[in-house]
Amino acid sequence: MVGIGYRKEFSQTFLNNGVLQPDFIEVAPENWLGIGGYWKQELKKVLKKYPLYCHGLSLSIGSPEGVDIGFVKQVRQFLEDTDAVLYSEHLTFSKVDNAHLYDLLPIPFTQEAINRVSENILQVQDILKKPLILENGSYYTVLEAEMTEEDFINEILDKTGCELLLDVNNVYVNAFNHQYDAEEFITQMPLDKVKYIHMAGHYQVNEQLIIDTHGADVIDPVYDLFRFTVKQIGKDIPVLLERDFNIPELNILQNEISNLKAIKNEILNAEYHVVQKEQ
């Protein structure tokens, strides 16, 4: 399955012309909490046609002061009301001393942070009654690192039982900016706990820096890393195509969805035929 982030910018065309045909849609719950009128009706129309995956922006699971319990309960109600298939968030933080920073910032790769984040995750999972699915973030500086990002992610998942949203473009961006091997990073992820994959484009600022923007087409090296990732995982995982800015004609988005499906089919069907021959 390959889905698309549902955007108000293309809602009417999406519903009426049939050019864009994802298997599911994704929205951020906080953008739709308490919404009424025209957009509530539009969302209802979309949900009659497509399963809903939810990907939050405001949970701030890494906040030192803990998570907003009232907000988590609102999200749980939204998930129930919309019959959402899953709920994922970012392994980052965006709130300090009750100040919202409007950005997703990296959590220091330290044991203290692991303990704090794990407490937050367990509290959220207790309210939601299901495992959180957390996304590896993109980052442009490393704060007080005591360990690698790989060890940081693995220990949090082990301590809490939460699951992983593997953002392949974020891995590519971080590997480029911090000069490490993206494929090696992928192999060190807990791939049996990957429940969801994100794919997106980015913006290259110069020869040393690229920024995760979700505002451009997916480039070939990221498709190659996606191909490698699917092969390593070896099973069909839902994939989302993210496009938040510079949204092109819907046929272009559909081409990207088709490319992702073709890669998955190529890898997974090859794996299936190998297994059949061995039996």
Side-chain angles (χ1 to χ4, degrees), residues 186-252:
I186 294 288
T187 61
Q188 294 180 36
M189 288 292 95
L191 297 179
D192 61 321
K193 297 176 182 175
V194 176
K195 299 298 178 184
Y196 196 21
I197 293 173
H198 273 184
M199 286 285 289
H202 55 255
Y203 172 63
Q204 181 155 358
V205 179
N206 54 46
E207 293 183 356
Q208 287 81 40
L209 178 66
I210 55 179
I211 303 290
D212 174 36
T213 61
H214 304 173
D217 297 346
V218 179
I219 64 171
D220 287 343
V222 179
Y223 277 124
D224 291 341
L225 188 59
F226 174 69
R227 184 177 287 104
F228 176 83
T229 302
V230 173
K231 190 167 187 178
Q232 294 300 309
I233 293 174
K235 61 182 180 181
D236 196 0
I237 302 291
V239 177
L240 180 87
L241 174 64
E242 297 182 293
R243 188 66 181 251
D244 298 337
F245 304 99
N246 299 325
I247 296 173
E249 296 294 326
L250 297 191
N251 65 309
I252 295 176

Side-chain angles (χ1 to χ4, degrees), residues 121-132 160-162:
I121 292 171
L122 292 172
Q123 194 171 21
V124 172
Q125 291 182 156
D126 186 54
I127 295 171
L128 296 180
K129 307 300 182 190
K130 63 175 68 175
L132 261 179
T160 65
C162 72

Side-chain angles (χ1 to χ4, degrees), residues 13 18 20 37 42-43 68 83 89 109 118 150 154 169 178 184 191 265:
T13 310
L20 186 58
E42 287 295 289
L43 182 61
D68 183 336
D83 198 22
E89 250 285 358
F109 304 145
S118 296
E150 302 93 298
N154 273 280
N169 183 59
H178 303 293
E184 179 65 22
L191 297 179
N265 290 336

Side-chain angles (χ1 to χ4, degrees), residues 45-100:
K45 291 178 187 175
V46 176
L47 296 185
K48 285 181 180 178
K49 298 181 66 174
Y50 299 99
L52 177 66
Y53 286 43
C54 286
H55 183 56
L57 299 167
S58 308
L59 183 59
S60 193
I61 201 70
S63 286
E65 65 266 41
V67 294
D68 183 336
I69 299 302
F71 171 73
V72 177
K73 290 180 177 178
Q74 284 184 300
V75 169
R76 181 187 64 187
Q77 189 62 55
F78 181 84
L79 301 178
E80 292 174 358
D81 292 345
T82 57
D83 198 22
V85 176
L86 60 77
Y87 171 60
S88 62
E89 250 285 358
H90 300 84
L91 186 53
T92 59
F93 75 102
S94 57
K95 188 177 69 171
V96 177
D97 294 335
N98 209 32
H100 290 269

Side-chain angles (χ1 to χ4, degrees), residues 108-118 144 146-147 152:
F109 304 145
T110 66
Q111 191 61 51
E112 180 183 1
I114 287 174
N115 296 338
R116 182 182 66 245
V117 172
S118 296
E144 299 181 23
E146 296 173 354
M147 62 188 75
F152 181 77

